[in-house]
Amino acid sequence: MLDLPGDLAARPLAPADVEAVAALLADAEPVDDTGENLDAADLTEWWADDLVDLAADGRAVCTAEGALVAWAVAVGSRGVRDAYRVGLEGRVHPAWRGRGIGRELLAWLLERGGEQHRQVHPEVPARLVVGVHPGMPGLEPLVRRAGLAPERWYSDMARPLTDLPPVPPVPGIELVPYAADRDDEVRRVHNQAFTDHHGSSERDEATWRAWFTGQRAFRPDLSVLTLADGAVVGYVLAYVFEADTRATGVQQTHFGQIGVLRSARGRGIASAAVSAALHAGAAAGCATAGLQVDTENPTGALGLYRRLGFTPVRTRTDWARVLPPVATS
């Protein structure tokens, strides 16, 4: 049970709540400045029924009249490497902040995340993660008091699609657009390329298609694959989010996933692939390109993106509570 003020009550989150959640996020974005604009269709894709159990893993906080004023959902990763990751997400409407609602939802999320860990992957440690954007000054002390600690920083970067760098030739490498018949090959390359990245997890076919190449925002025509001897060794997957375009008035090609197999690194493949994706976005009428990077990425990606003209826009801090493996008899 959540200890909520006044006549507020909590209930399980439901698919029918996506319109109200999207409206709340739209009201909160001018305050929180996350850089994310999600509409109801985006939320429906993210909370796909077979990946997120909203009734068990989500909560809606509503007034006695039924108006949604806050929500929360714990999204567990399907695959694991060194740990089971649970993303703790939620928001309180700006007009309802400062009343303890966020504190109660965070406590519930932490409890639910621990339950997911015990139920799904008790054999490995768990990371319960909350992303804190710089426009959320009230959230940092909340997660700190709850025992979470900052563990990683992710920078949103962007650049205009003008004065683009040339696409450098790479001996033995062919640059081609994404093709649907290579989708599972790209998924497997992604899993291999991100083995050494902090917090990454294996993507199975269902997760890959629901959260990446099956999204309506995915743009195969703006995405780039790099081939060596006919096999994929690297990729840039691009997206154009309609809700972002409506909110900002700027159409951006967003590079959601960028990777190169470890065996192929050091040859300039990533630079060539990103440059080609920049040109594809410009040719399609996009005004800017954006991406997000782990500032401690072990491949030196942050420096690469700077050299290609990207500059930081904002930096999100991931705070985490680490749970040890659960002993089993």
Side-chain angles (χ1 to χ4, degrees), residues 56-81:
D57 301 330
R59 286 294 178 268
V61 176
C62 302
T63 65
E65 294 75 27
L68 187 142
V69 301
W71 62 272
V73 64
V75 180
S77 59
R78 291 264 294 236
V80 297
R81 287 198 171 105

Side-chain angles (χ1 to χ4, degrees), residues 78 183-184 187 191 203-211 213:
R78 291 264 294 236
D183 188 61
D184 199 59
R187 178 185 69 85
N191 283 338
R203 300 300 185 186
D204 61 16
E205 293 181 25
T207 303
W208 177 259
R209 294 198 178 107
W211 289 347
T213 58

Side-chain angles (χ1 to χ4, degrees), residues 88-120:
L88 309 182
E89 305 171 0
R91 203 73 60 87
V92 178
H93 192 284
W96 288 84
R97 294 178 184 177
R99 309 185 195 194
I101 301 170
R103 180 185 65 245
E104 289 295 309
L105 284 177
L106 178 60
W108 183 86
L109 284 168
L110 290 167
E111 178 61 29
R112 181 59 191 146
E115 291 172 353
Q116 289 179 328
H117 175 219
R118 294 189 292 273
Q119 294 166 357
V120 181

Side-chain angles (χ1 to χ4, degrees), residues 152 154 193-200 262 265 293-302:
R152 215 70 175 187
Y154 293 87
F194 274 74
T195 300
D196 55 355
H197 286 57
H198 174 82
S200 67
R262 183 181 293 187
R265 293 175 189 168
V293 61
D294 179 349
T295 59
E296 298 179 44
N297 183 297
T299 67
L302 180 61

Side-chain angles (χ1 to χ4, degrees), residues 21-77:
V21 171
L24 188 156
L25 290 173
D27 288 343
E29 180 58 18
V31 177
D32 297 335
D33 187 31
T34 67
E36 300 172 352
N37 298 279
L38 301 174
D39 60 20
D42 294 326
L43 291 168
T44 297
E45 288 185 329
W46 180 241
W47 293 339
D49 290 342
D50 56 344
L51 297 179
V52 180
D53 184 349
L54 287 181
D57 301 330
R59 286 294 178 268
V61 176
C62 302
T63 65
E65 294 75 27
L68 187 142
V69 301
W71 62 272
V73 64
V75 180
S77 59

Side-chain angles (χ1 to χ4, degrees), residues 152-171:
R152 215 70 175 187
W153 289 261
Y154 293 87
S155 181
D156 288 340
M157 306 184 78
R159 63 152 296 157
L161 290 180
T162 54
D163 300 321
L164 298 181
V167 180
V170 181

Side-chain angles (χ1 to χ4, degrees), residues 178-247:
Y178 164 91
D181 59 1
R182 288 188 178 271
D183 188 61
D184 199 59
E185 183 183 5
V186 178
R187 178 185 69 85
R188 288 183 276 109
V189 168
H190 174 81
N191 283 338
Q192 294 177 51
F194 274 74
T195 300
D196 55 355
H197 286 57
H198 174 82
S200 67
S201 59
E202 293 284 322
R203 300 300 185 186
D204 61 16
E205 293 181 25
T207 303
W208 177 259
R209 294 198 178 107
W211 289 347
F212 301 127
T213 58
Q215 280 195 37
R216 63 195 178 97
F218 178 56
R219 290 290 298 268
D221 56 319
L222 306 186
S223 301
V224 176
L225 304 181
T226 61
L227 309 182
D229 297 324
V232 176
V233 296
Y235 55 89
V236 177
L237 301 185
Y239 303 78
V240 175
F241 296 99
E242 295 176 3
D244 276 342
T245 303
R246 288 195 301 269

